[in-house]
mmCIF file of all heavy atoms in Angstrom:
data_model
loop_
_atom_site.group_PDB
_atom_site.id
_atom_site.type_symbol
_atom_site.label_atom_id
_atom_site.label_comp_id
_atom_site.label_asym_id
_atom_site.label_seq_id
_atom_site.Cartn_x
_atom_site.Cartn_y
_atom_site.Cartn_z
ATOM 1 N N THR A 1 17.471 -22.795 -1.484
ATOM 2 C CA THR A 1 17.425 -21.378 -1.512
ATOM 3 C C THR A 1 16.291 -20.871 -2.331
ATOM 4 O O THR A 1 15.607 -19.935 -1.938
ATOM 5 C CB THR A 1 18.883 -20.898 -2.174
ATOM 6 O OG1 THR A 1 19.853 -21.373 -1.291
ATOM 7 C CG2 THR A 1 18.885 -19.356 -2.024
ATOM 8 N N ILE A 2 15.893 -21.502 -3.447
ATOM 9 C CA ILE A 2 14.880 -21.055 -4.291
ATOM 10 C C ILE A 2 13.482 -21.215 -3.456
ATOM 11 O O ILE A 2 12.707 -20.344 -3.488
ATOM 12 C CB ILE A 2 14.799 -21.847 -5.630
ATOM 13 C CG1 ILE A 2 16.004 -21.574 -6.527
ATOM 14 C CG2 ILE A 2 13.522 -21.566 -6.366
ATOM 15 C CD1 ILE A 2 16.079 -22.334 -7.739
ATOM 16 N N GLU A 3 13.339 -22.371 -2.824
ATOM 17 C CA GLU A 3 12.129 -22.612 -2.145
ATOM 18 C C GLU A 3 11.966 -21.504 -0.924
ATOM 19 O O GLU A 3 10.981 -21.000 -0.739
ATOM 20 C CB GLU A 3 12.101 -24.052 -1.440
ATOM 21 C CG GLU A 3 12.078 -24.996 -2.576
ATOM 22 C CD GLU A 3 12.138 -26.461 -2.062
ATOM 23 O OE1 GLU A 3 12.607 -26.485 -0.952
ATOM 24 O OE2 GLU A 3 11.702 -27.347 -2.811
ATOM 25 N N THR A 4 13.114 -21.308 -0.243
ATOM 26 C CA THR A 4 13.156 -20.301 0.827
ATOM 27 C C THR A 4 12.716 -18.939 0.322
ATOM 28 O O THR A 4 11.993 -18.223 0.934
ATOM 29 C CB THR A 4 14.419 -20.270 1.519
ATOM 30 O OG1 THR A 4 14.788 -21.613 1.989
ATOM 31 C CG2 THR A 4 14.323 -19.411 2.728
ATOM 32 N N THR A 5 13.265 -18.542 -0.854
ATOM 33 C CA THR A 5 12.899 -17.249 -1.302
ATOM 34 C C THR A 5 11.429 -17.067 -1.756
ATOM 35 O O THR A 5 10.726 -16.146 -1.467
ATOM 36 C CB THR A 5 13.813 -16.851 -2.637
ATOM 37 O OG1 THR A 5 15.181 -17.116 -2.240
ATOM 38 C CG2 THR A 5 13.444 -15.622 -3.171
ATOM 39 N N LEU A 6 10.918 -18.154 -2.365
ATOM 40 C CA LEU A 6 9.467 -18.099 -2.776
ATOM 41 C C LEU A 6 8.480 -18.092 -1.412
ATOM 42 O O LEU A 6 7.619 -17.463 -1.358
ATOM 43 C CB LEU A 6 9.191 -19.461 -3.628
ATOM 44 C CG LEU A 6 9.772 -19.487 -4.907
ATOM 45 C CD1 LEU A 6 9.451 -20.651 -5.676
ATOM 46 C CD2 LEU A 6 9.439 -18.163 -5.698
ATOM 47 N N VAL A 7 8.992 -18.858 -0.507
ATOM 48 C CA VAL A 7 8.214 -18.924 0.754
ATOM 49 C C VAL A 7 8.291 -17.449 1.475
ATOM 50 O O VAL A 7 7.292 -17.074 1.951
ATOM 51 C CB VAL A 7 8.733 -19.929 1.637
ATOM 52 C CG1 VAL A 7 8.098 -19.869 3.080
ATOM 53 C CG2 VAL A 7 8.456 -21.329 1.091
ATOM 54 N N GLU A 8 9.490 -16.858 1.374
ATOM 55 C CA GLU A 8 9.506 -15.598 2.076
ATOM 56 C C GLU A 8 8.559 -14.598 1.352
ATOM 57 O O GLU A 8 7.966 -13.719 2.114
ATOM 58 C CB GLU A 8 10.994 -15.176 1.985
ATOM 59 C CG GLU A 8 11.265 -13.777 2.555
ATOM 60 C CD GLU A 8 12.622 -13.425 2.577
ATOM 61 O OE1 GLU A 8 13.530 -14.234 2.273
ATOM 62 O OE2 GLU A 8 13.051 -12.233 2.958
ATOM 63 N N ARG A 9 8.571 -14.660 0.079
ATOM 64 C CA ARG A 9 7.658 -13.762 -0.701
ATOM 65 C C ARG A 9 6.209 -14.009 -0.375
ATOM 66 O O ARG A 9 5.344 -13.091 -0.263
ATOM 67 C CB ARG A 9 7.905 -13.778 -2.290
ATOM 68 C CG ARG A 9 9.202 -13.258 -2.563
ATOM 69 C CD ARG A 9 9.441 -13.365 -4.140
ATOM 70 N NE ARG A 9 10.733 -12.832 -4.548
ATOM 71 C CZ ARG A 9 11.085 -12.816 -5.839
ATOM 72 N NH1 ARG A 9 10.180 -13.174 -6.815
ATOM 73 N NH2 ARG A 9 12.266 -12.280 -6.150
ATOM 74 N N MET A 10 6.003 -15.321 -0.290
ATOM 75 C CA MET A 10 4.467 -15.592 0.082
ATOM 76 C C MET A 10 4.148 -15.114 1.448
ATOM 77 O O MET A 10 3.084 -14.622 1.721
ATOM 78 C CB MET A 10 4.337 -17.187 0.128
ATOM 79 C CG MET A 10 2.951 -17.697 0.420
ATOM 80 S SD MET A 10 2.787 -19.449 0.697
ATOM 81 C CE MET A 10 3.797 -19.707 2.072
ATOM 82 N N ILE A 11 5.041 -15.239 2.437
ATOM 83 C CA ILE A 11 4.868 -14.629 3.710
ATOM 84 C C ILE A 11 4.706 -13.176 3.859
ATOM 85 O O ILE A 11 3.762 -12.580 4.545
ATOM 86 C CB ILE A 11 6.016 -15.141 4.737
ATOM 87 C CG1 ILE A 11 5.933 -16.596 4.902
ATOM 88 C CG2 ILE A 11 5.930 -14.415 6.073
ATOM 89 C CD1 ILE A 11 7.202 -17.129 5.699
ATOM 90 N N GLU A 12 5.369 -12.471 3.015
ATOM 91 C CA GLU A 12 5.249 -11.063 2.881
ATOM 92 C C GLU A 12 3.866 -10.673 2.363
ATOM 93 O O GLU A 12 3.290 -9.703 2.868
ATOM 94 C CB GLU A 12 6.375 -10.479 1.981
ATOM 95 C CG GLU A 12 7.756 -10.443 2.569
ATOM 96 C CD GLU A 12 8.748 -9.970 1.561
ATOM 97 O OE1 GLU A 12 8.454 -9.689 0.458
ATOM 98 O OE2 GLU A 12 10.008 -9.823 2.077
ATOM 99 N N VAL A 13 3.423 -11.373 1.433
ATOM 100 C CA VAL A 13 2.018 -11.173 0.912
ATOM 101 C C VAL A 13 1.004 -11.455 2.011
ATOM 102 O O VAL A 13 0.003 -10.716 2.183
ATOM 103 C CB VAL A 13 1.630 -12.038 -0.315
ATOM 104 C CG1 VAL A 13 0.279 -11.934 -0.817
ATOM 105 C CG2 VAL A 13 2.712 -11.599 -1.407
ATOM 106 N N ILE A 14 1.158 -12.508 2.797
ATOM 107 C CA ILE A 14 0.276 -12.858 3.776
ATOM 108 C C ILE A 14 0.267 -11.836 4.854
ATOM 109 O O ILE A 14 -0.761 -11.380 5.347
ATOM 110 C CB ILE A 14 0.552 -14.269 4.427
ATOM 111 C CG1 ILE A 14 0.388 -15.415 3.442
ATOM 112 C CG2 ILE A 14 -0.183 -14.561 5.588
ATOM 113 C CD1 ILE A 14 0.697 -16.782 3.737
ATOM 114 N N LEU A 15 1.410 -11.291 5.306
ATOM 115 C CA LEU A 15 1.441 -10.325 6.314
ATOM 116 C C LEU A 15 0.838 -9.051 5.868
ATOM 117 O O LEU A 15 0.246 -8.317 6.656
ATOM 118 C CB LEU A 15 2.972 -10.063 6.663
ATOM 119 C CG LEU A 15 3.767 -11.215 7.313
ATOM 120 C CD1 LEU A 15 5.107 -10.869 7.654
ATOM 121 C CD2 LEU A 15 2.903 -11.629 8.585
ATOM 122 N N LYS A 16 1.050 -8.563 4.527
ATOM 123 C CA LYS A 16 0.365 -7.445 4.069
ATOM 124 C C LYS A 16 -1.156 -7.527 4.119
ATOM 125 O O LYS A 16 -1.849 -6.625 4.445
ATOM 126 C CB LYS A 16 0.791 -7.228 2.623
ATOM 127 C CG LYS A 16 0.256 -5.949 2.042
ATOM 128 C CD LYS A 16 0.837 -5.703 0.601
ATOM 129 C CE LYS A 16 0.307 -4.427 -0.033
ATOM 130 N NZ LYS A 16 0.856 -4.200 -1.434
ATOM 131 N N ASP A 17 -1.664 -8.787 3.772
ATOM 132 C CA ASP A 17 -3.112 -8.998 3.825
ATOM 133 C C ASP A 17 -3.636 -8.892 5.349
ATOM 134 O O ASP A 17 -4.694 -8.428 5.553
ATOM 135 C CB ASP A 17 -3.467 -10.304 3.071
ATOM 136 C CG ASP A 17 -3.317 -10.200 1.532
ATOM 137 O OD1 ASP A 17 -3.289 -9.060 1.108
ATOM 138 O OD2 ASP A 17 -3.205 -11.269 0.917
ATOM 139 N N LEU A 18 -2.795 -9.417 6.112
ATOM 140 C CA LEU A 18 -3.248 -9.482 7.549
ATOM 141 C C LEU A 18 -3.267 -8.011 8.083
ATOM 142 O O LEU A 18 -4.181 -7.626 8.940
ATOM 143 C CB LEU A 18 -2.212 -10.240 8.469
ATOM 144 C CG LEU A 18 -2.343 -11.797 8.363
ATOM 145 C CD1 LEU A 18 -1.296 -12.536 9.104
ATOM 146 C CD2 LEU A 18 -3.730 -12.213 8.829
ATOM 147 N N ALA A 19 -2.350 -7.172 7.796
ATOM 148 C CA ALA A 19 -2.299 -5.775 8.113
ATOM 149 C C ALA A 19 -3.617 -5.102 7.627
ATOM 150 O O ALA A 19 -4.133 -4.330 8.285
ATOM 151 C CB ALA A 19 -1.126 -5.158 7.672
ATOM 152 N N ALA A 20 -4.008 -5.360 6.299
ATOM 153 C CA ALA A 20 -5.189 -4.792 5.832
ATOM 154 C C ALA A 20 -6.431 -5.248 6.475
ATOM 155 O O ALA A 20 -7.443 -4.610 6.587
ATOM 156 C CB ALA A 20 -5.329 -5.071 4.304
ATOM 157 N N ALA A 21 -6.469 -6.569 6.964
ATOM 158 C CA ALA A 21 -7.573 -7.131 7.663
ATOM 159 C C ALA A 21 -7.797 -6.580 8.998
ATOM 160 O O ALA A 21 -8.886 -6.288 9.480
ATOM 161 C CB ALA A 21 -7.410 -8.661 7.783
ATOM 162 N N PHE A 22 -6.593 -6.166 9.688
ATOM 163 C CA PHE A 22 -6.806 -5.558 11.071
ATOM 164 C C PHE A 22 -6.936 -4.057 11.023
ATOM 165 O O PHE A 22 -7.071 -3.432 12.047
ATOM 166 C CB PHE A 22 -5.543 -5.948 11.872
ATOM 167 C CG PHE A 22 -5.487 -7.290 12.562
ATOM 168 C CD1 PHE A 22 -5.062 -8.350 11.934
ATOM 169 C CD2 PHE A 22 -6.098 -7.333 13.735
ATOM 170 C CE1 PHE A 22 -5.118 -9.626 12.466
ATOM 171 C CE2 PHE A 22 -6.101 -8.593 14.488
ATOM 172 C CZ PHE A 22 -5.583 -9.724 13.779
ATOM 173 N N GLU A 23 -6.796 -3.468 9.869
ATOM 174 C CA GLU A 23 -6.870 -2.002 9.691
ATOM 175 C C GLU A 23 -8.267 -1.502 10.274
ATOM 176 O O GLU A 23 -8.173 -0.385 10.875
ATOM 177 C CB GLU A 23 -6.671 -1.604 8.241
ATOM 178 C CG GLU A 23 -6.639 -0.086 8.092
ATOM 179 C CD GLU A 23 -5.387 0.565 8.682
ATOM 180 O OE1 GLU A 23 -4.408 -0.119 8.984
ATOM 181 O OE2 GLU A 23 -5.521 1.751 8.947
ATOM 182 N N PRO A 24 -9.342 -2.089 9.937
ATOM 183 C CA PRO A 24 -10.541 -1.487 10.497
ATOM 184 C C PRO A 24 -10.633 -1.471 12.019
ATOM 185 O O PRO A 24 -11.233 -0.706 12.617
ATOM 186 C CB PRO A 24 -11.667 -2.393 10.019
ATOM 187 C CG PRO A 24 -11.077 -3.056 8.771
ATOM 188 C CD PRO A 24 -9.672 -3.107 9.017
ATOM 189 N N LEU A 25 -9.861 -2.377 12.668
ATOM 190 C CA LEU A 25 -9.851 -2.455 14.209
ATOM 191 C C LEU A 25 -8.750 -1.529 14.771
ATOM 192 O O LEU A 25 -8.939 -0.702 15.579
ATOM 193 C CB LEU A 25 -9.659 -3.914 14.587
ATOM 194 C CG LEU A 25 -10.771 -4.847 14.183
ATOM 195 C CD1 LEU A 25 -10.299 -6.237 14.626
ATOM 196 C CD2 LEU A 25 -12.033 -4.445 14.969
ATOM 197 N N SER A 26 -7.612 -1.714 14.189
ATOM 198 C CA SER A 26 -6.374 -0.954 14.802
ATOM 199 C C SER A 26 -5.213 -1.053 13.785
ATOM 200 O O SER A 26 -5.010 -2.100 13.100
ATOM 201 C CB SER A 26 -5.896 -1.510 16.097
ATOM 202 O OG SER A 26 -4.739 -0.898 16.574
ATOM 203 N N PRO A 27 -4.571 0.070 13.549
ATOM 204 C CA PRO A 27 -3.296 0.042 12.684
ATOM 205 C C PRO A 27 -2.337 -1.065 13.166
ATOM 206 O O PRO A 27 -1.843 -1.048 14.340
ATOM 207 C CB PRO A 27 -2.806 1.518 12.660
ATOM 208 C CG PRO A 27 -3.892 2.223 13.086
ATOM 209 C CD PRO A 27 -4.687 1.372 14.116
ATOM 210 N N VAL A 28 -1.997 -1.949 12.326
ATOM 211 C CA VAL A 28 -0.913 -2.996 12.617
ATOM 212 C C VAL A 28 0.098 -3.062 11.568
ATOM 213 O O VAL A 28 -0.197 -2.970 10.405
ATOM 214 C CB VAL A 28 -1.700 -4.360 12.783
ATOM 215 C CG1 VAL A 28 -0.664 -5.495 13.147
ATOM 216 C CG2 VAL A 28 -2.831 -4.327 13.797
ATOM 217 N N LEU A 29 1.236 -3.345 12.034
ATOM 218 C CA LEU A 29 2.494 -3.461 11.077
ATOM 219 C C LEU A 29 3.078 -4.812 11.387
ATOM 220 O O LEU A 29 3.721 -5.016 12.527
ATOM 221 C CB LEU A 29 3.493 -2.340 11.236
ATOM 222 C CG LEU A 29 4.731 -2.492 10.438
ATOM 223 C CD1 LEU A 29 4.411 -2.479 9.010
ATOM 224 C CD2 LEU A 29 5.656 -1.316 10.734
ATOM 225 N N PHE A 30 3.055 -5.797 10.495
ATOM 226 C CA PHE A 30 3.535 -7.063 10.576
ATOM 227 C C PHE A 30 4.946 -7.034 9.934
ATOM 228 O O PHE A 30 5.057 -6.684 8.773
ATOM 229 C CB PHE A 30 2.705 -8.117 10.004
ATOM 230 C CG PHE A 30 1.526 -8.342 10.841
ATOM 231 C CD1 PHE A 30 0.223 -7.803 10.342
ATOM 232 C CD2 PHE A 30 1.421 -9.349 11.867
ATOM 233 C CE1 PHE A 30 -0.910 -8.014 10.996
ATOM 234 C CE2 PHE A 30 0.210 -9.397 12.606
ATOM 235 C CZ PHE A 30 -1.006 -8.867 12.139
ATOM 236 N N GLN A 31 5.974 -7.415 10.616
ATOM 237 C CA GLN A 31 7.316 -7.393 10.056
ATOM 238 C C GLN A 31 7.964 -8.838 10.010
ATOM 239 O O GLN A 31 7.717 -9.678 10.936
ATOM 240 C CB GLN A 31 8.217 -6.555 10.931
ATOM 241 C CG GLN A 31 7.985 -5.036 10.876
ATOM 242 C CD GLN A 31 8.895 -4.247 11.794
ATOM 243 O OE1 GLN A 31 9.816 -4.837 12.438
ATOM 244 N NE2 GLN A 31 8.808 -2.954 11.655
ATOM 245 N N PHE A 32 8.533 -9.135 8.887
ATOM 246 C CA PHE A 32 9.206 -10.419 8.659
ATOM 247 C C PHE A 32 10.459 -10.532 9.528
ATOM 248 O O PHE A 32 11.370 -9.740 9.268
ATOM 249 C CB PHE A 32 9.412 -10.723 7.145
ATOM 250 C CG PHE A 32 10.088 -11.922 6.917
ATOM 251 C CD1 PHE A 32 9.371 -13.152 7.016
ATOM 252 C CD2 PHE A 32 11.445 -11.975 6.617
ATOM 253 C CE1 PHE A 32 9.973 -14.432 6.676
ATOM 254 C CE2 PHE A 32 12.041 -13.149 6.361
ATOM 255 C CZ PHE A 32 11.382 -14.298 6.402
#
């Protein structure tokens, strides 16, 4: 459970950075 929680937080950070990377091209919303 601890590993899954840490991984979930890491994925949320990655999705947020991906949305910022795609922002110059098109608004994107990545959902977990």
Side-chain angles (χ1 to χ4, degrees):
T1 304
I2 296 178
E3 293 174 345
T4 305
T5 304
L6 294 177
V7 171
E8 183 177 346
R9 293 184 179 181
M10 180 190 67
I11 294 176
E12 291 177 354
V13 174
I14 294 176
L15 295 180
K16 183 178 180 181
D17 291 341
L18 281 177
F22 276 91
E23 183 66 26
L25 296 174
S26 176
V28 180
L29 178 60
F30 293 97
Q31 295 181 349
F32 176 78

